[in-house]
Amino acid sequence: MRPPAGVTYPAGVSENSQFRFPGATGVGSLPGGDTREAAKTVTGSFEDFPFLPELPARGPGADMIGRTAGMLVELYARVEPSGWRIGDRPGRDTRRARSWLGEDLDALEEFTQGYEGDLKVQAVGPWTLAAALELKNGEAALSDPGACRDLAASLAEGLRLHLGEVRRRVPGARIVLQLDEPSLTAVLRGQVRTASGYRTHRAVDRQLVEATLRDVVGAHAGGPVVVHSCAPDVPFALLRRAGAAAVSFDFALLTERDDEAIGEAVEGGTRLFAGVVPGTDGPLSDPAGSVMGVRTLWRRLGLHPGLLAEAVTVTPACGLAGASPAYARQALAHCVRAARSLADNPE
């Protein structure tokens, strides 16, 4: 996107950057099971970048995998003692997942009447889903290339329908899709364990991983997609090539080995959703202290300080499902204050 006449980008910003995001948002999950209270919390905390809350404490179907399994088209899953398993027909677990998602959308719609701005929704990405969903033989779908293809195609179609429903309910919003891929690095490295636990599944070819992600990203045609992982060694370059507009990660897990990939991502216009606020209860530093590491990274990379507010969105390190309700509210508010600090004092 070219700047308006007479306006230049700060050093390090690509004119190919298509998307801008507000300064702070959440990751996805919250504690508790009160749908309306969760919607009220996220819309009150983030006036310009709320998200559709996930409440896994409600049980199977509200968890990350079950919620996304309920979105699949012509593929169904049920709960087994070992986890979620693909089945032949929709059962009570699928119905429960879809019912809870409907309740969550009802509550979000109630608290976003007249809203115009960014709105984020989350779903599990194709590779984490393939690593988590079992086939009939009990092995992960990851073990079967054909099953992976079918799963990705079903997910892409399900996401198109889901995004259409969100647009219908909140017509003034720009929808931002977040794909959660915490197992992606393990998939690339062949570290996903088999059902027996004694072996691991073979590493998936990086080009296939990238192509599959690109297809699923394409389900949000023309809209921004964020890929989130709170695991170490996030593959920034691969996600950029797959079409991610932003990458969301746990900032505390970065090492200097990531510097080059992050620098290239920022200069290429990819946005960073920096998880700097702890996801579980504990003391919070002052807002400026929470983003001190981001400023240090910027100096180390030699990036223009004025780019910080444009390139970084502040989030918790991961979902807040394991936090107390009081801490979760504090953490979300802290993200907003930390983002303001970053914008006001980039150096």
Side-chain angles (χ1 to χ4, degrees), residues 161-172:
L161 295 173
H162 177 54
L163 292 166
E165 176 68 6
V166 177
R167 288 189 198 98
R168 184 185 69 77
R169 290 171 176 265
V170 195

Side-chain angles (χ1 to χ4, degrees), residues 4-321:
V7 176
T8 57
Y9 286 114
V13 178
S14 166
E15 65 178 29
N16 294 322
S17 304
Q18 289 182 282
F19 301 107
R20 300 287 186 269
F21 300 99
T25 190
V27 172
S29 66
L30 292 177
D34 188 328
T35 302
R36 291 187 74 257
E37 182 61 30
K40 181 180 178 182
T41 295
V42 299
T43 54
S45 299
F46 302 112
E47 294 181 355
D48 55 358
F49 204 176
F51 60 95
L52 178 64
E54 301 168 0
L55 302 175
R58 292 178 295 189
D63 61 296
M64 183 172 76
I65 299 299
R67 185 180 182 89
T68 300
M71 297 180 191
L72 297 176
V73 173
E74 296 182 356
L75 281 179
Y76 312 102
R78 64 179 186 273
V79 179
E80 297 286 345
S82 54
W84 284 89
R85 182 171 295 181
I86 295 173
D88 295 324
R89 61 183 66 86
R92 65 179 182 180
D93 297 320
T94 297
R95 290 192 293 271
R96 185 189 298 120
R98 291 175 177 175
S99 175
W100 271 329
L101 179 58
E103 289 179 16
D104 294 340
L105 288 169
D106 288 343
L108 185 72
E109 182 179 4
E110 177 184 349
F111 286 96
T112 53
Q113 293 295 311
Y115 176 73
E116 295 182 353
D118 286 324
L119 171 65
K120 183 164 70 68
V121 299
Q122 305 84 220
V124 176
W127 293 108
T128 295
L129 203 59
L133 282 181
E134 299 174 356
L135 301 174
K136 293 177 183 179
N137 63 5
E139 286 294 351
L142 188 65
S143 64
D144 183 333
C148 289
R149 284 194 299 273
D150 291 346
L151 192 56
S154 175
L155 174 62
E157 185 57 30
L159 287 173
R160 289 187 191 98
L161 295 173
H162 177 54
L163 292 166
E165 176 68 6
V166 177
R167 288 189 198 98
R168 184 185 69 77
R169 290 171 176 265
V170 195
R174 178 181 76 163
I175 308 301
V176 179
L177 172 62
Q178 175 180 303
L179 295 175
D180 292 319
E181 282 283 15
S183 298
L184 182 59
T185 300
V187 168
L188 289 165
R189 293 182 174 179
Q191 295 172 339
V192 177
R193 293 206 166 273
T194 59
S196 69
Y198 295 122
R199 297 185 300 108
T200 57
H201 293 287
R202 184 180 303 174
V204 180
D205 179 77
R206 295 181 75 89
Q207 290 185 333
L208 175 59
V209 169
E210 181 184 324
T212 302
L213 276 169
R214 188 180 301 112
D215 288 343
V216 177
V217 166
H220 190 23
V225 176
V226 181
V227 179
H228 167 74
S229 173
C230 48
D233 300 319
V234 176
F236 287 91
L238 184 152
L239 296 177
R240 285 178 54 215
R241 293 193 302 270
V247 180
S248 171
F249 55 94
D250 181 345
F251 191 85
L253 297 180
L254 291 183
T255 69
E256 292 195 13
R257 294 196 311 271
D258 298 306
D259 281 7
E260 182 177 354
I262 291 174
E264 290 177 355
V266 172
E267 291 185 341
T270 305
R271 296 318 183 209
L272 307 180
F273 281 41
V276 299
V277 178
T280 53
D281 291 43
L284 292 171
S285 70
D286 66 287
S290 293
V291 289
M292 185 182 303
V294 180
R295 293 190 181 96
T296 300
L297 172 66
W298 236 242
R299 287 193 293 270
R300 195 164 71 232
L301 295 178
L303 294 169
H304 193 289
L307 176 59
L308 266 172
E310 290 283 331
V312 175
T313 294
V314 175
T315 74
C318 208
L320 295 167

